[in-house]
Amino acid sequence: MNNELIKVHETEQGEQRVSARDLYKALEIKKRFSAWFDTNSKLFIRDVDFTTVKTGTVVNNGAVLQLDDFEITIEMAKSLSMMSRTKKGQDIRNYFIQVEKDHKALMSDPRMQMAMGLKSAQMMLDHKDKIIEEMKPKAVFADAVNTSKQSILVGDLAKLISQNGVKIGQNRLFAYLRDNGYLHKSGSQCNRPTQRYIDQGLFEVKESSHTNPDGSIRLTFTTKVTGKGQQYFVNKFLASDDQMKIG
């Protein structure tokens, strides 16, 4: 727009905003800025009609001084202009009305709509590599678990977790499972799953028999994590802070 009285800028969402300090100067208000804004902003809603920002101004020694400012909507700017009850205020209000008309006309142009669509698509392309990289560990976890048809050892589960970004060894994983009630902590049942989680299908116990040199039979029990258990623990580590607690 020609003859720009006050700079109007757009947010990423396409909303128009004005600096409260720029409006204050244009209206030629005599009262101190902070006092003027504190009094008049009471009729408006923070974070809806205006938001707090910082603006820099160069002082006499060349240093940049940071001042409190506010980004305000066009509607609020028009209201503040009228509240000044001056000819200058009326002129500025009319200026904002024309700015709005020009903006609406521009946004209704099919060429502009296409340009906005292309801009949005370009932003998505610019971020796609980062998004893919962030999602990759979760996708690998899901694929590994979904394709698992067999139960695995706790040590193998630790390796699977570590390969996908959550570093943990077999001993620490065993400790985590014991501390959180998945495995028995002591006695003859130590490191075997508790009945609750066997019933839920997360673990199974493989029993094996061995013949001792004296001919007697010795039984051993091995804790294994089922496919359902693998899915359970993978999702738990991805969706919570458990990896921080055990890391």
Side-chain angles (χ1 to χ4, degrees):
M1 179 178 179
N2 294 329
N3 302 320
E4 183 181 59
L5 293 179
I6 299 175
K7 184 177 180 180
V8 178
H9 69 275
E10 289 187 22
T11 66
E12 291 184 355
Q13 294 73 34
E15 300 174 345
Q16 293 182 301
R17 292 289 187 270
V18 176
S19 160
R21 283 190 177 272
D22 286 351
L23 177 60
Y24 166 81
K25 292 176 182 177
L27 290 172
E28 300 177 353
I29 304 295
K30 303 301 181 184
K31 185 185 294 188
R32 185 164 44 91
F33 171 75
S34 58
W36 169 76
F37 193 81
D38 286 345
T39 299
N40 291 281
S41 63
K42 293 176 181 178
L43 300 173
F44 304 92
I45 303 174
R46 183 181 294 273
D47 295 328
V48 175
D49 299 307
F50 66 93
T51 55
T52 303
V53 295
K54 290 288 186 180
T55 186
T57 183
V58 180
V59 295
N60 293 336
N61 61 1
V64 177
L65 179 65
Q66 293 294 316
L67 300 174
D68 286 331
D69 196 3
F70 304 90
E71 283 193 348
I72 62 177
T73 63
I74 291 291
E75 287 299 320
M76 181 174 175
K78 288 192 297 184
S79 297
L80 292 176
S81 298
M82 291 302 295
M83 288 164 64
S84 69
R85 296 185 177 86
T86 63
K87 177 65 168 59
K88 190 76 171 178
Q90 181 67 45
D91 291 341
I92 292 175
R93 175 180 177 274
N94 292 337
Y95 164 76
F96 285 134
I97 290 174
Q98 187 60 48
V99 166
E100 287 182 308
K101 288 181 179 179
D102 292 344
H103 180 69
K104 288 178 181 178
L106 182 63
M107 296 307 293
S108 64
D109 188 328
R111 292 170 297 179
M112 177 56 67
Q113 293 176 358
M114 181 179 292
M116 293 294 289
L118 290 172
K119 180 180 179 181
S120 177
Q122 185 61 52
M123 289 177 64
M124 292 181 65
L125 287 173
D126 291 342
H127 290 84
K128 70 176 177 63
D129 291 338
K130 180 179 179 181
I131 293 171
I132 290 172
E133 190 63 29
E134 290 175 349
M135 291 179 63
K136 187 175 180 180
K138 296 185 180 182
V140 172
F141 258 126
D143 288 344
V145 173
N146 287 335
T147 58
S148 177
K149 302 297 184 182
Q150 298 180 339
S151 297
I152 62 174
L153 297 171
V154 171
D156 292 329
L157 178 61
K159 291 177 183 177
L160 175 64
I161 294 172
S162 295
Q163 287 169 358
N164 290 278
V166 182
K167 299 302 181 183
I168 183 172
Q170 174 179 295
N171 291 340
R172 280 190 294 162
L173 183 54
F174 263 115
Y176 170 83
L177 294 173
R178 289 193 299 267
D179 291 343
N180 288 275
Y182 297 103
L183 304 181
H184 289 284
K185 282 189 174 183
S186 59
S188 62
Q189 297 286 318
C190 183
N191 284 343
R192 291 193 209 174
T194 57
Q195 191 61 45
R196 173 184 176 185
Y197 294 107
I198 292 177
D199 292 343
Q200 289 185 16
L202 304 185
F203 297 96
E204 63 180 11
V205 178
K206 183 178 179 181
E207 181 179 321
S208 300
S209 61
H210 306 272
T211 302
N212 293 321
D214 61 2
S216 61
I217 302 298
R218 174 170 53 89
L219 296 178
T220 60
F221 301 90
T222 304
T223 295
K224 304 193 79 173
V225 186
T226 65
K228 180 179 179 181
Q230 295 166 53
Q231 184 75 64
Y232 171 85
F233 287 112
V234 165
N235 287 337
K236 187 174 181 63
F237 294 145
L238 288 175
S240 70
D241 292 329
D242 285 331
Q243 61 264 42
M244 300 303 296
K245 297 175 184 175
I246 62 178

